[in-house]
Amino acid sequence: MKRRNTPTKEAVLNLLSASKKALSQDAIEKQLDIKINRATIYRVLNRFCEDEIIHKIVAEDGKQYFAICKKCEQPETIQDHFHFRCLSCDSIECLQIPVRYSVPENYVVQQTNCILTGICSDCN
Amino acid sequence: MKRRNTPTKEAVLNLLSASKKALSQDAIEKQLDIKINRATIYRVLNRFCEDEIIHKIVAEDGKQYFAICKKCEQPETIQDHFHFRCLSCDSIECLQIPVRYSVPENYVVQQTNCILTGICSDCN
DNA sequence: TAATTTATTGCAACATAATCGCAATAGAGT
DNA sequence: ACTCTATTGCGATTATGTTGCAATAAATTA
């Protein structure tokens, strides 16, 4: 399925590019100048994920957050990294810290979803 | 608030004790012999979490899973550990693998929620 | 054993996140 | 300008989890 360029896609991608934090759908909707439907935002985000332009993080609040980060821009560097969720400013960011682990025999890991929760330096 | 012993609490705790996997509310409800209300199960589980008898994991599906594991039984050993979610048998288990990380200066970590997703040994 | 206190439960309603079907719209190529 | 179909908006739907309230039942006391 060939992708098409639309104002919606562009707006969402620009927002994520400019943001240092991972954003949820509702955060994106609020921060956008133009009015975009909720379902559309989800669809755009999921397409970006499929195309590996952004990646998805699920936080302990059960919500999905999306971010562009080094992983995508520099695939040769940090693949699986930790995310940090600040309870004070309620934001999620990508940490440039790789997730290191070993698994029992015959276990195959395909992806990771690792979140550290606490207080970030801005709030300390 | 003093806790009381009830058949519901006992049934849920027995189920979690017997299970090697982390269970979601609906899984618990299905596996129980007795019929227990959904809201009640959540309240029982949340109380167990408060009392640190069990712990909660939020998976990439956004759902809450609950498990008794070494962390609780042997507080002196593995505190923060990885969890493994098998895409084949759709189960979540605690791995006896500690989460090791460092964070940038002035970041304070209060808790972790780390999940590795893939295929477990049983399904390989 | 009966009475009292209040933690616990069931039910219904509510809140929120995310998805889906469908018709309308609008990119992109001809 | 025309065609094809990816994309969008809208409404409805599903699912997860929580909350208010009255009824129930543990645990303590008399």
Side-chain angles (χ1 to χ4, degrees):
Chain A
M1 194 187 278
K2 204 177 285 181
R3 302 294 188 212
R4 289 178 185 174
N5 291 326
T6 66
T8 294
K9 276 183 63 172
E10 201 177 339
V12 172
L13 195 54
N14 284 344
L15 187 57
L16 284 174
S17 296
S19 174
K20 287 183 179 176
K21 307 285 187 176
L23 300 176
S24 61
Q25 174 275 321
D26 62 300
I28 292 172
E29 187 172 338
K30 278 176 198 155
Q31 290 182 39
L32 281 175
D33 316 320
I34 54 179
K35 170 70 183 164
I36 303 180
N37 184 270
R38 186 160 42 101
T40 301
I41 294 177
Y42 276 114
R43 280 185 285 225
V44 166
L45 290 169
N46 286 331
R47 263 177 257 146
F48 282 152
C49 283
E50 281 176 36
D51 299 345
E52 296 184 325
I53 296 170
I54 66 176
H55 66 286
K56 182 196 293 188
I57 311 116
V58 178
E60 322 93 274
D61 59 4
K63 284 176 63 177
Q64 302 178 349
Y65 292 80
F66 301 87
I68 296 183
C69 84
K70 296 288 159 23
K71 173 189 175 185
C72 310
E73 292 165 359
Q74 307 170 8
E76 69 278 21
T77 58
I78 300 172
Q79 278 284 344
D80 295 306
H81 53 271
F82 279 102
H83 296 91
F84 191 89
R85 172 180 174 79
C86 179
L87 295 171
S88 178
C89 60
D90 193 42
S91 71
I92 295 184
E93 63 182 309
C94 298
L95 296 179
Q96 298 312 313
I97 299 165
V99 176
R100 317 196 78 208
Y101 54 84
S102 59
V103 285
E105 203 169 359
N106 293 324
Y107 277 66
V108 177
V109 175
Q110 292 174 3
Q111 55 170 288
T112 69
N113 189 74
C114 297
I115 301 180
L116 308 177
T117 304
I119 309 294
C120 75
S121 59
D122 288 350
C123 297
N124 250 337
Chain B
M1 193 187 280
K2 204 177 285 181
R3 303 294 186 211
R4 289 178 184 176
N5 291 326
T6 67
T8 294
K9 276 183 63 171
E10 201 177 338
V12 172
L13 195 54
N14 284 344
L15 188 57
L16 285 174
S17 297
S19 174
K20 287 182 177 176
K21 308 285 186 175
L23 300 176
S24 61
Q25 173 274 320
D26 62 302
I28 292 172
E29 186 172 339
K30 279 176 197 156
Q31 290 181 39
L32 281 176
D33 316 319
I34 54 178
K35 170 70 184 164
I36 303 180
N37 184 270
R38 187 161 44 104
T40 302
I41 294 178
Y42 276 114
R43 280 186 284 224
V44 166
L45 290 170
N46 286 331
R47 262 177 256 145
F48 282 153
C49 283
E50 281 176 36
D51 299 345
E52 296 185 325
I53 296 170
I54 66 177
H55 66 286
K56 183 197 291 188
I57 312 117
V58 178
E60 324 92 274
D61 59 4
K63 284 175 64 178
Q64 302 177 349
Y65 292 80
F66 302 86
I68 297 183
C69 85
K70 297 287 161 19
K71 173 188 176 187
C72 310
E73 292 165 359
Q74 306 170 8
E76 69 277 23
T77 60
I78 300 171
Q79 279 284 341
D80 294 309
H81 53 272
F82 279 103
H83 296 91
F84 192 89
R85 173 181 173 80
C86 179
L87 295 171
S88 178
C89 60
D90 193 41
S91 71
I92 295 183
E93 63 182 309
C94 298
L95 296 179
Q96 298 312 313
I97 299 164
V99 176
R100 317 195 78 206
Y101 55 84
S102 59
V103 286
E105 203 169 0
N106 293 325
Y107 277 66
V108 177
V109 175
Q110 292 174 3
Q111 55 169 290
T112 69
N113 189 73
C114 297
I115 300 180
L116 308 177
T117 305
I119 309 294
C120 74
S121 59
D122 288 349
C123 296
N124 250 336

